[in-house]
Amino acid sequence: MNIEEFYKLLQKKNYGSLFLKEPLKKYTTWRVGGPADLLYRPTKVGECADVLQLAWQHQIPVTILGVGSNVLVADQGLKGLVVLTEGFRQIVWQENLVTVGSGVLLSHLSRLAAEKGLAGLEFAAGIPGSLGGAVVMNAGAYGDSLEQVIVSVKSLDLEGKPKTYEKAELALGYRDSIFKRRKELIVEIKLALQRGNIAEIKAQMARCLNLRREKQPLEWPNAGSVFKNSGQGAGRLIEGVGAKGWRVGDAQISEKHANFIVNLGEAKASEIMTLIKEVQKAVKEKYNVDLETEVVLWGFVDNRR
Ligand SMILES: Cc1cc2nc3c(=O)[nH]c(=O)nc-3n(C[C@H](O)[C@H](O)[C@H](O)COP(=O)(O)OP(=O)(O)OC[C@H]3O[C@@H](n4cnc5c(N)ncnc54)[C@H](O)[C@@H]3O)c2cc1C
């Protein structure tokens, strides 16, 4: 079945919001990326499970997109179905536990938790990702990460079957989880927070936000840290090869933070990719270090350096 036929099948069943040839640059913080063959924005888990099952039966490839703050989508776009998770946005509080839809913004949740005097998400102030993306990446900052507060995760596998994972099964590590290797759609996350002092929680969040504003080029579209920090900070290595300010088209290694690549206007994914490869090559030559990308690369035929 081709994608138009699949689209018509979903339409006939009255399934959710569907968009053919939808430009993904609208859904990534870098503001780059070609079209998705078909974008689907579910709000109901049951319906989403049916759609995944149909995609599986008809061999339509599936990609899962949170708020696109950690992905580089190729200019050619993506084949198949892209499922956007932003419609999963329920939040249920139960004392110090909170159960959250995967489309909820991490920074929004951390603000709500602060208002309730619940500590544990202060580090997340200013991280622009969704809860689902934050689980996949085990998002973290300033020595803390989501790992410290996760209790369990509910997902749908690519056949649409529901699964539940306890924390110990998630293989959480530095910007890593089992979902990096096992493609499933996270729909719900349960977190355990701790009672704290509202003023102290807010003060800690303000400190995190100030550090970000001081150090990060937030005035331009970006995707946060491009490379993982190995033993030595990636930013320091990139600065060490004199790459700050390198520019290809409208893509530039930030002058403010060497581990950020900013979009100065109309950057293409290919230009960002060229910079990524040039930096990797220079760092390898000077320091014999292989810089690994933290951002997830989608739709590139050749991801080799
Ligand atoms: C200015 C800026 C600052 C940042 N600072 C930090 C920081 O301090 N620490 C940090 O860790 N990160 C940081 N990031 C990166 C990013 O915000 C996080 O990695 C975030 O958790 C990604 O969430 P997302 O919804 O944007 O995921 P996306 O970018 O949409 O996706 C990332 C990966 O997760 C998968 N995914 C997303 N949602 C789901 C889901 N529901 N189910 C299954 N798979 C899913 C995608 O398929 C993809 O593989 C920053 C980014 C920016 C732009």
Side-chain angles (χ1 to χ4, degrees):
M1 181 177 273
N2 68 31
I3 200 75
E4 279 82 16
E5 290 163 341
F6 186 66
Y7 171 61
K8 284 189 189 132
L9 175 72
L10 298 187
Q11 265 195 325
K12 214 187 288 170
K13 290 176 179 279
N14 243 340
Y15 278 164
S17 318
L18 297 162
F19 308 90
L20 269 178
K21 291 273 163 243
E22 180 71 355
L24 289 173
K25 66 191 322 184
K26 284 163 61 179
Y27 303 90
T28 65
T29 56
W30 245 327
R31 300 281 171 256
V32 302
D37 275 352
L38 180 60
L39 185 84
Y40 167 54
R41 184 187 175 281
T43 52
K44 298 188 190 100
V45 175
E47 179 194 285
C48 183
D50 289 348
V51 171
L52 288 176
Q53 193 183 29
L54 286 168
W56 179 262
Q57 277 166 11
H58 295 286
Q59 297 179 343
I60 305 287
V62 172
T63 306
I64 298 140
L65 183 61
V67 296
S69 65
N70 212 35
V71 294
L72 179 60
V73 180
D75 302 311
Q76 296 83 336
L78 295 179
K79 294 272 161 243
L81 181 72
V82 174
V83 183
L84 189 66
T85 62
E86 66 172 18
F88 296 132
R89 49 173 56 165
Q90 79 285 0
I91 305 179
V92 180
W93 301 92
Q94 202 185 9
E95 298 181 6
N96 68 321
L97 297 177
V98 60
T99 306
V100 197
S102 59
V104 171
L105 289 181
L106 189 55
S107 53
H108 175 61
L109 187 70
S110 87
R111 276 196 300 276
L112 294 180
E115 291 300 336
K116 289 180 179 289
L118 290 171
L121 285 175
E122 295 87 328
F123 75 90
I127 300 183
S130 68
L131 252 298
V135 172
V136 176
M137 307 302 297
N138 187 18
Y142 311 117
D144 292 323
S145 73
L146 206 63
E147 182 175 358
Q148 284 147 300
V149 290
I150 292 183
V151 176
S152 59
V153 168
K154 286 190 177 167
S155 67
L156 296 170
D157 70 13
L158 290 187
E159 293 179 64
K161 293 198 199 99
K163 301 248 180 118
T164 303
Y165 293 88
E166 297 304 318
K167 177 180 180 172
E169 299 170 286
L170 295 172
L172 296 161
Y174 172 61
R175 302 296 169 268
D176 197 29
S177 73
I178 194 169
F179 297 110
K180 283 241 167 143
R181 293 163 288 283
R182 185 180 297 186
K183 196 152 69 154
E184 293 187 7
L185 196 161
I186 297 168
V187 288
E188 192 179 279
I189 299 103
K190 188 188 270 190
L191 306 176
L193 305 173
Q194 309 97 43
R195 288 255 146 249
N197 174 286
I198 295 187
E200 277 170 24
I201 296 169
K202 286 188 174 173
Q204 180 56 21
M205 286 169 68
R207 276 193 290 275
C208 291
L209 280 171
N210 282 338
L211 277 174
R212 284 177 188 279
R213 284 191 203 111
E214 250 171 56
K215 302 226 157 98
Q216 300 181 353
L218 302 177
E219 61 278 30
W220 300 107
N222 68 78
S225 295
V226 175
F227 300 99
K228 286 186 181 178
N229 285 311
S230 49
Q232 310 162 61
R236 205 163 314 137
L237 296 175
I238 299 165
E239 223 175 314
V241 299
K244 264 190 171 178
W246 283 2
R247 184 167 172 175
V248 178
D250 268 351
Q252 187 183 43
I253 309 280
S254 165
E255 303 265 12
K256 196 168 174 185
H257 190 315
N259 201 10
F260 276 53
I261 295 180
V262 291
N263 177 355
L264 298 177
E266 298 295 323
K268 296 190 180 67
S270 59
E271 294 166 349
I272 293 175
M273 196 61 180
T274 302
L275 276 179
I276 287 176
K277 288 183 177 173
E278 283 180 3
V279 164
Q280 283 173 326
K281 186 164 171 273
V283 168
K284 178 75 178 168
E285 274 168 17
K286 182 157 181 186
Y287 298 107
N288 197 27
V289 171
D290 288 303
L291 278 184
E292 196 188 328
T293 54
E294 178 177 324
V295 291
V296 180
L297 309 173
W298 280 343
F300 293 91
V301 181
D302 177 10
N303 285 343
R304 285 169 299 168
R305 268 159 248 157

